[in-house]
Amino acid sequence: MRYNTRKATIPSDGGSMKLLILSPKGTTAQKRPGVLWIHGGGYVVGMPGMVHMSRARNLVIKYGAIVVSPEYRLAGQVPYPAALEDCHCALMYLKEHADELGVRSDQIMVGGESAGGGLAAALCMYEKDIGGVNIAFQMPLYPMIDDRDTETSRDNHAPVWNTRRNHSAWSKYLRGVDGDVPAYAAPARREDYSGLPPAYTFVSTAEPFYAETMAFIDNLRRAGVEAGVDVYPGLFHAFDMMLPCLKVSKQAGAEFDKRFEYAAEHYFAIQDDEK
């Protein structure tokens, strides 16, 4: 393996939670960006080990980032807001242990794919609203952020993820919600996007989350937030993870890496207690 891996257990609202921590081989006095990378799985399945097949892996190998992946509670066991609470605890750990981990406290970033992208987007909103961790950059890849049907999530029969699976997953995740669905559960319901961290994502046109991803980026841009998106025509959900050897998957990975490299050079967010 081209990077180091270790596990940690931290307190969480569910009692305790395991983290998987990826760091580059070798030692250096230079601090690095710290990335909370949240696994996908429709809020109902998945595990931190999925980080080894995610885009975050390259952030460690190529750019020396420190990546923390939380084993958040899944909706089959506990519905919203358990997953968000756990991700907040993991983000607080990343901030409070920045020195120990070798992380720049002004370059704490979040990302994830699918439901992990949804949690990353929700976490940025939550931290801003509560005055929590200041996040420098967000990378919610093809995020699952709208519980309502959109023009591309309605009557979608694509491989990997489709309308039937989407409805089932949302019903499990939101079964603890009474009344209106909050934006911390479904970030597409957010009305005020101002002050959120700069963002980058990519998405394919045949997958359910195409419309909600594009709307998310448009909403950020209208609020004056720097936000970029790359669109890959005709492909299904999580194509880059399912078929990593495809030329288009390698292209998506290379573009993602370039956006992260730019973010590491240009985006910073000093923590309030360090100002």
Side-chain angles (χ1 to χ4, degrees), residues 37-48 50-51 53 72-76 83 112-119 141-144 160-161 165-166 168-170 172-173 209 237-238 241-242:
W37 194 264
I38 308 167
H39 72 75
Y43 300 107
V44 293
V45 297
M47 64 190 74
M50 292 168 64
V51 72
M53 57 185 287
Y72 61 87
R73 287 170 289 172
L74 300 173
E113 58 279 317
S114 192
L119 283 166
L141 304 183
Y142 34 85
M144 182 177 175
V160 181
W161 202 256
R165 289 180 176 175
N166 203 42
S168 175
W170 276 116
K172 291 176 182 175
Y173 188 55
F209 303 151
H237 183 65
M241 294 180 71
M242 298 294 115

Side-chain angles (χ1 to χ4, degrees), residues 239-253:
F239 68 92
D240 62 311
M241 294 180 71
M242 298 294 115
L243 297 172
C245 292
L246 287 182
K247 181 178 179 180
V248 67
S249 297
K250 294 178 180 179
Q251 178 187 351

